[in-house]
Amino acid sequence: MNLYKRICKNVWTEKFITQDKKIKQLRSFKLAMAKSFVLRMNGGDDSLSYANNSCLQKFAMSKLRHVLDETIKEMMVKNGPIETLKIVDLGCSSGPNTLIAMSRIIKTLKSLHRDENYPQYEIYLNDLPSNDYNNLFKMLPDFHPGRKNCFVFALPGSFYGRLLPSNSLQFGYSCYCLQWLSQIPEGLGMSNKENICIVRTSPQKAFEAYAKQYERDFSTFLKCRGEEMIPNGRMVLAFVGRKNVDHRSEEDVSGTLRLLGETLSDMVDEGLISKEDLNSFNMPMYFPSQNEVKTIIEQEGSFDMDKMEAFEVPWDANGYKNNDNEVFDAHKSGKSSVQCVRAFIEPMLGYHFRNTSVDIDYVFDRYEQNVVEHIHVSMATPSYHTLLLSLKRKF
């Protein structure tokens, strides 16, 4: 081959490789955008929206108020007067809960000032770019009256990365978000078979993949917040965890998701869903033990843990109970429980099964039957074990 032909061949080969690389990069970008799009709650304000089905989070907020108030007061005593307070809600989603939480924080801060010389408040509402921020913006007029020194900003992006400038943040808050992982665990593949999350019957490989992904993600979260936060800054975090170190204990930590997995498995047996589609569907969600959380905080090193508590949040946080004045209604309780789950899982479920003929409404109808039966047998609403942390940024 003469020199001219070799040059032409090299040029075309390089051009082909460059184009191929661009195509791969574009596919990776589209895949990342797809993941970002489906990792969100149901938007809007209709009957299936997260805004109208977030009683779990509201219940959890009511249980963490004492730690929230104590942490803010301790921070202000240590730090003294601050001209501008930067506060971030990490994983704010949409709906009224976000502004209720921020109102509580500002109310506590104002109670610490004896005069009317309040600091300015910069409130950052953080969630993924696909979050329904418009729903939040519509609520701001009711939030702003009487708060002339309060400024609210949307902060789209993953909290598993940097969000704010270094040494600028005073207070961070997150409720029912850190059980979500940044992605499906690496190396999981289809090893978890027909389980959509970690359950007692999951193989050891699946346990290890989920635990490693959680360790990476939570360490990254702490590192990023540590870089953004001023010395002695504080965070209050609440998320779903598990009581026992052993994943295979009798504790049904993944109860609601386990029942959804069983519903989908039944539909595979009936030929309504392919086994391959089910085996490739895994939730990017992990429920850590207290020991795991403590170990990661100590190893990462940016924060000291001031407090760590635990409490229970019922599946049906609307409050249907079995007491002297009310007959326990398993159907009502099961329906409420499923609506809460649907609000956060429907976008992901719909996207994964988008190329099938499966009817999402039918899936949730079947799922509701399983949950109602489970609650009826137990004669009570099971609960989510919730971990509550108060962290202090080291000097």
Side-chain angles (χ1 to χ4, degrees), residues 18-82:
T18 303
Q19 289 176 337
D20 186 55
K21 184 178 181 180
K22 287 181 178 178
I23 291 171
K24 288 180 179 179
Q25 289 174 340
L26 181 60
R27 286 175 178 170
S28 297
F29 174 75
K30 287 181 176 179
L31 180 59
M33 291 302 292
K35 287 181 178 179
S36 175
F37 178 75
V38 296
L39 287 175
R40 60 172 176 80
M41 311 294 108
N42 273 342
D45 55 6
D46 60 25
S47 61
L48 298 179
S49 67
Y50 174 85
N52 287 315
N53 293 282
S54 51
C55 53
L56 289 170
Q57 294 77 3
K58 189 174 182 178
F59 186 97
M61 286 164 51
S62 70
K63 300 285 283 187
L64 60 78
R65 283 177 182 171
H66 67 290
V67 171
L68 187 65
D69 290 348
E70 290 169 7
T71 301
I72 292 172
K73 290 174 183 177
E74 290 170 5
M75 178 187 72
M76 295 304 292
V77 169
K78 293 286 186 181
N79 290 350
I82 299 174

Side-chain angles (χ1 to χ4, degrees), residues 104-360:
R104 178 75 185 189
I105 291 171
I106 292 176
K107 182 179 179 181
T108 302
L109 286 165
K110 284 190 173 183
S111 71
L112 301 175
H113 293 81
R114 296 180 180 179
D115 54 34
E116 294 298 318
N117 189 26
Y118 301 130
Q120 295 184 111
Y121 304 105
E122 292 184 10
I123 295 177
Y124 294 89
L125 305 180
N126 160 252
D127 212 309
L128 294 173
S130 55
N131 182 54
D132 186 3
Y133 284 103
N134 285 335
N135 184 273
L136 282 176
F137 297 156
K138 288 188 293 186
M139 298 178 184
L140 285 179
D142 293 329
F143 174 76
H144 267 298
R147 295 193 174 100
K148 296 180 180 179
N149 58 341
C150 180
F151 305 92
V152 182
F153 305 88
L155 187 61
S158 171
F159 52 52
Y160 292 123
R162 283 291 301 273
L163 296 166
L164 292 164
S166 299
N167 201 42
S168 66
L169 179 65
Q170 280 87 17
F171 191 80
Y173 166 86
S174 181
C175 183
Y176 262 44
C177 300
L178 282 166
Q179 67 270 10
W180 287 97
L181 302 173
S182 65
Q183 62 178 58
I184 305 298
E186 293 180 3
L188 182 64
M190 295 190 181
S191 65
N192 206 22
K193 298 183 179 179
E194 295 182 5
N195 303 313
I196 67 171
C197 62
I198 290 294
V199 297
R200 290 193 296 270
T201 57
S202 294
Q204 186 61 31
K205 180 181 179 182
F207 287 130
E208 293 173 356
Y210 269 94
K212 288 180 181 177
Q213 186 65 49
Y214 176 76
E215 182 180 359
R216 282 193 293 267
D217 283 345
F218 192 43
S219 295
T220 300
F221 173 86
L222 294 171
K223 181 178 183 294
C224 291
R225 302 296 82 75
E227 292 171 353
E228 296 164 350
M229 192 162 282
I230 66 169
N232 204 46
R234 303 298 179 100
M235 282 200 297
V236 172
L237 312 173
F239 48 91
V240 184
R242 67 178 193 276
K243 294 178 182 178
N244 302 307
V245 174
D246 185 9
H247 287 277
R248 301 186 190 278
S249 68
E250 291 302 311
E251 176 193 330
D252 192 14
V253 66
S254 305
T256 50
L257 297 181
R258 175 181 60 80
L259 291 170
L260 178 58
E262 291 177 3
T263 301
L264 295 171
S265 182
D266 290 342
M267 294 177 71
V268 169
D269 294 339
E270 297 168 18
L272 301 174
I273 296 174
S274 74
K275 181 172 287 190
E276 183 179 357
D277 281 338
L278 176 54
N279 288 352
S280 60
F281 181 60
N282 290 283
M283 292 292 296
M285 189 176 284
Y286 182 77
F287 309 126
S289 67
Q290 290 192 18
N291 286 344
E292 284 177 288
V293 173
K294 288 179 181 178
T295 299
I296 295 170
I297 291 172
E298 290 171 0
Q299 290 178 348
E300 195 282 324
S302 296
F303 292 87
D304 286 323
M305 186 161 61
D306 278 350
K307 297 180 182 69
M308 187 174 196
E309 300 179 7
F311 57 88
E312 301 298 316
V313 175
W315 290 5
D316 172 21
N318 278 318
Y320 303 119
K321 302 175 182 177
N322 186 12
N323 55 45
D324 295 336
N325 301 318
E326 184 178 353
V327 177
F328 180 74
D329 189 336
H331 178 76
K332 197 173 184 181
S333 185
K335 184 178 182 64
S336 175
S337 301
V338 168
Q339 284 178 326
C340 286
V341 175
R342 182 170 185 170
F344 70 74
I345 202 174
E346 183 173 15
M348 186 178 299
L349 192 71
Y351 181 81
H352 183 79
F353 292 101
R354 67 193 182 284
N355 294 325
T356 70
S357 59
V358 64
D359 185 334
I360 295 298

Side-chain angles (χ1 to χ4, degrees), residues 81-116:
I82 299 174
E83 184 177 341
T84 301
L85 268 162
K86 286 189 177 182
I87 304 163
V88 63
D89 184 335
L90 299 153
C92 64
S93 192
S94 58
N97 285 349
T98 298
L99 299 184
I100 291 173
M102 293 302 102
S103 295
R104 178 75 185 189
I105 291 171
I106 292 176
K107 182 179 179 181
T108 302
L109 286 165
K110 284 190 173 183
S111 71
L112 301 175
H113 293 81
R114 296 180 180 179
D115 54 34
E116 294 298 318

